[in-house]
Amino acid sequence: MPHQHALILLRFIIVGVIAGIFSGWYWGEAMVEIAWLGKLFLNALKMMIIPLILAAVISGVAALGDIRKLGRTGGITLVYYLITTAIAVLIGLVMVNLIQPGVGLNIESAGLSESIAAKQDIGVSDILLSMVSPNLVASAAEMQLLPLILFAIVFSAALTTLGRTGEHVILFFNGVNQAMMKLVTWLMYFAPVGIFALIAGRLGQAGGGDAFLNEIQAVGLYIGTVLSGLAIHFVVLFSILFFIGGRGTDYLVGMLRALLTAFGTASSSATLPLTMECARENKVDERAVRFVLPLGSTVNMDGTALYEAVAVMFIAQAYGIELGLGPQIIILVTATMAAIGAAGIPEAGLVTMVIVLNAVGLPLEGIGLLLSVDWFLDRFRTSVNVWGDSVGATVVHRFLPGEGKHGIVETDRRRS
Ligand code: ASP
């Protein structure tokens, strides 16, 4: 898509977001009527994900060349994920200790919701287990992307060892990848309407602006803590983009369509097709786009990690339980793991928070305090999640062998 088109589309998407907030706010429940338009957009995005991920990761890993380069790129990617996620948790911890949003709160716990109750025993080993699927088709059907991605990585690594036979298969997936890219550019034109309907519909479901304000009043300080932490982390990521990724505001503007889609859908996975398309348009190396972004959309969730740390400390404060340095270090580690384990779908972070609560021995019922506003915070943390992935792609791009040759797989060059 030519640059000019992208900017026009971005303007329409911004109008969609603003119009969505206004109409959901004022017309409230009436907007639930149009929520199906948002669902249509979301479904179309989800429809793309499985073929897109398989084709992108297989052709992307193959484009890295031999397996040693995969090791290096994978190493840099994982280090980036871990460091930025840990920074996010640290920022969350500092903010929640400074602001103390839970202190003095009147606890009327809403009890355990069903989705949480079912996950009471989830632990770190479950996250590791979820990485390898006994049934790839079932994983795909349930949108569990991590085992699919890991399979695609090793599958592609195997292809690169097969010589000519492997090349045929890689060419096939290159073709699938290009076709998927084309579909995504078409779907993008529907984004302004889709995002408008998603936001208006959700606010409508919450009963409109006044009902929403009532809902958030009790936990206003908590919301403020999460949002200010996310804002700080956004800026930290921007500095990483600037100093390590070697990019600036043009990249941020270029990624805005994806960030706003993340805000509208509250799902990193559903946003992935757009994240990849925007990064590609912004001249991030194809290999980084196809390797870092799919993996990042399910593994690298800075916003979720930050939010989990704040939420858990908030619950402790609300129950009047003092958590010293030791337990906070446990939170640092487990919140990072919980964010890695969270799927890129709406409110997944709320469920994996169980890991963190269990680790520091807090009552799971505390989650009841956060339920009503989670859909709202989810949108912000998902945008930060996608921003973290986008910055990661530029960082890995910098360290790629033969850096500078954008879109190194010749057959993938697109006519614009
Ligand atoms: N909705 C988030 C995402 O898709 C995950 C979460 O924090 O709930 O990135």
Side-chain angles (χ1 to χ4, degrees), residues 266-269 297 301 304 307 342-350 378 381-382 385:
S267 166
S268 315
S269 299
S297 76
M301 297 198 182
T304 301
Y307 142 86
I345 56 173
E347 304 196 23
L350 198 64
D378 196 9
R381 64 183 191 252
T382 307
N385 290 346

Short mmCIF file of all heavy atoms in Angstrom, two decimals, residues 266-269 297 301 304 307 342-350 378 381-382 385, ligand 1:
data_model
loop_
_atom_site.label_atom_id
_atom_site.label_comp_id
_atom_site.label_asym_id
_atom_site.label_seq_id
_atom_site.Cartn_x
_atom_site.Cartn_y
_atom_site.Cartn_z
N ALA A 266 -8.58 -5.67 21.49
CA ALA A 266 -8.04 -6.21 22.76
C ALA A 266 -7.42 -7.59 22.53
O ALA A 266 -7.45 -8.44 23.41
CB ALA A 266 -9.10 -6.27 23.85
N SER A 267 -6.86 -7.79 21.36
CA SER A 267 -6.24 -9.08 21.08
C SER A 267 -4.98 -8.91 20.22
O SER A 267 -5.07 -8.44 19.08
CB SER A 267 -7.25 -9.99 20.36
OG SER A 267 -6.59 -11.11 19.81
N SER A 268 -3.83 -9.28 20.78
CA SER A 268 -2.59 -9.17 19.99
C SER A 268 -2.62 -10.12 18.81
O SER A 268 -2.09 -9.81 17.74
CB SER A 268 -1.35 -9.55 20.81
OG SER A 268 -1.34 -8.99 22.05
N SER A 269 -3.20 -11.30 19.01
CA SER A 269 -3.22 -12.27 17.92
C SER A 269 -4.08 -11.79 16.77
O SER A 269 -3.69 -11.88 15.61
CB SER A 269 -3.76 -13.61 18.41
OG SER A 269 -2.94 -14.12 19.40
N SER A 297 3.66 -11.91 19.36
CA SER A 297 2.24 -11.68 19.63
C SER A 297 1.68 -12.65 20.65
O SER A 297 0.66 -12.39 21.27
CB SER A 297 1.43 -11.74 18.33
OG SER A 297 1.28 -13.08 17.94
N MET A 301 4.54 -9.91 26.05
CA MET A 301 3.41 -9.06 26.44
C MET A 301 3.81 -8.16 27.60
O MET A 301 3.53 -8.45 28.76
CB MET A 301 2.24 -9.93 26.84
CG MET A 301 1.73 -10.76 25.72
SD MET A 301 0.09 -11.35 26.05
CE MET A 301 -0.18 -12.30 24.59
N THR A 304 0.73 -6.64 29.53
CA THR A 304 0.08 -7.63 30.39
C THR A 304 0.91 -7.87 31.65
O THR A 304 0.36 -7.93 32.76
CB THR A 304 -0.08 -8.96 29.61
OG1 THR A 304 -0.86 -8.69 28.44
CG2 THR A 304 -0.75 -10.03 30.44
N TYR A 307 0.60 -4.91 33.97
CA TYR A 307 -0.74 -4.89 34.57
C TYR A 307 -0.89 -5.98 35.64
O TYR A 307 -1.47 -5.74 36.70
CB TYR A 307 -1.76 -5.04 33.44
CG TYR A 307 -2.95 -5.88 33.78
CD1 TYR A 307 -4.05 -5.30 34.40
CD2 TYR A 307 -2.99 -7.23 33.47
CE1 TYR A 307 -5.15 -6.07 34.73
CE2 TYR A 307 -4.07 -8.00 33.80
CZ TYR A 307 -5.15 -7.41 34.42
OH TYR A 307 -6.23 -8.18 34.74
N ALA A 342 0.24 -16.00 28.75
CA ALA A 342 -1.08 -15.48 28.37
C ALA A 342 -1.25 -15.54 26.85
O ALA A 342 -0.32 -15.21 26.12
CB ALA A 342 -1.24 -14.04 28.86
N ALA A 343 -2.41 -15.98 26.42
CA ALA A 343 -2.68 -16.01 24.98
C ALA A 343 -2.98 -14.59 24.53
O ALA A 343 -3.35 -13.74 25.35
CB ALA A 343 -3.86 -16.91 24.69
N GLY A 344 -2.83 -14.33 23.23
CA GLY A 344 -3.09 -12.99 22.72
C GLY A 344 -4.56 -12.74 22.47
O GLY A 344 -4.95 -12.31 21.38
N ILE A 345 -5.39 -13.05 23.43
CA ILE A 345 -6.83 -12.88 23.27
C ILE A 345 -7.37 -11.99 24.40
O ILE A 345 -6.68 -11.80 25.41
CB ILE A 345 -7.56 -14.23 23.28
CG1 ILE A 345 -7.23 -15.00 24.56
CG2 ILE A 345 -7.19 -15.06 22.07
CD1 ILE A 345 -8.03 -16.27 24.74
N PRO A 346 -8.58 -11.46 24.24
CA PRO A 346 -9.09 -10.55 25.26
C PRO A 346 -9.10 -11.16 26.67
O PRO A 346 -9.51 -12.30 26.86
CB PRO A 346 -10.51 -10.24 24.79
CG PRO A 346 -10.46 -10.43 23.32
CD PRO A 346 -9.48 -11.54 23.09
N GLU A 347 -8.62 -10.37 27.60
CA GLU A 347 -8.65 -10.69 29.04
C GLU A 347 -7.93 -11.98 29.42
O GLU A 347 -8.22 -12.57 30.46
CB GLU A 347 -10.09 -10.69 29.55
CG GLU A 347 -10.75 -9.35 29.27
CD GLU A 347 -12.02 -9.10 30.06
OE1 GLU A 347 -12.20 -9.70 31.12
OE2 GLU A 347 -12.82 -8.28 29.58
N ALA A 348 -6.98 -12.40 28.61
CA ALA A 348 -6.21 -13.59 28.95
C ALA A 348 -5.35 -13.33 30.18
O ALA A 348 -5.10 -14.22 30.99
CB ALA A 348 -5.33 -14.01 27.78
N GLY A 349 -4.90 -12.09 30.33
CA GLY A 349 -4.03 -11.74 31.45
C GLY A 349 -4.72 -11.93 32.79
O GLY A 349 -4.10 -12.27 33.79
N LEU A 350 -6.01 -11.73 32.77
CA LEU A 350 -6.78 -11.88 34.01
C LEU A 350 -6.71 -13.33 34.50
O LEU A 350 -6.70 -13.60 35.71
CB LEU A 350 -8.24 -11.52 33.71
CG LEU A 350 -9.14 -11.19 34.87
CD1 LEU A 350 -8.67 -9.95 35.57
CD2 LEU A 350 -10.56 -11.00 34.37
N ASP A 378 -7.70 -3.79 29.37
CA ASP A 378 -7.22 -4.76 28.39
C ASP A 378 -6.82 -4.07 27.08
O ASP A 378 -5.82 -4.40 26.45
CB ASP A 378 -8.33 -5.78 28.14
CG ASP A 378 -7.80 -7.03 27.46
OD1 ASP A 378 -6.58 -7.17 27.34
OD2 ASP A 378 -8.63 -7.87 27.05
N ARG A 381 -3.45 -2.28 27.56
CA ARG A 381 -2.27 -3.15 27.68
C ARG A 381 -2.02 -3.91 26.39
O ARG A 381 -0.87 -4.20 26.03
CB ARG A 381 -2.39 -4.09 28.88
CG ARG A 381 -3.49 -5.10 28.85
CD ARG A 381 -3.51 -5.90 30.14
NE ARG A 381 -4.39 -7.05 30.05
CZ ARG A 381 -5.55 -7.16 30.68
NH1 ARG A 381 -5.98 -6.19 31.45
NH2 ARG A 381 -6.29 -8.24 30.54
N THR A 382 -3.08 -4.23 25.64
CA THR A 382 -2.87 -4.91 24.36
C THR A 382 -2.12 -3.99 23.39
O THR A 382 -1.23 -4.45 22.66
CB THR A 382 -4.21 -5.35 23.76
OG1 THR A 382 -4.92 -6.11 24.74
CG2 THR A 382 -4.01 -6.20 22.52
N ASN A 385 1.36 -4.16 24.34
CA ASN A 385 1.91 -5.45 23.91
C ASN A 385 2.35 -5.39 22.45
O ASN A 385 3.44 -5.84 22.08
CB ASN A 385 0.86 -6.56 24.06
CG ASN A 385 0.59 -6.90 25.52
OD1 ASN A 385 1.33 -6.50 26.40
ND2 ASN A 385 -0.50 -7.63 25.77
N1 ASP B 1 -5.55 -9.06 25.57
C1 ASP B 1 -4.14 -9.14 25.72
C2 ASP B 1 -3.49 -9.38 24.39
O1 ASP B 1 -4.09 -9.94 23.51
C3 ASP B 1 -3.71 -10.19 26.70
C4 ASP B 1 -4.15 -9.79 28.08
O2 ASP B 1 -3.41 -9.07 28.76
O3 ASP B 1 -5.25 -10.13 28.49
O4 ASP B 1 -2.39 -9.00 24.18
#
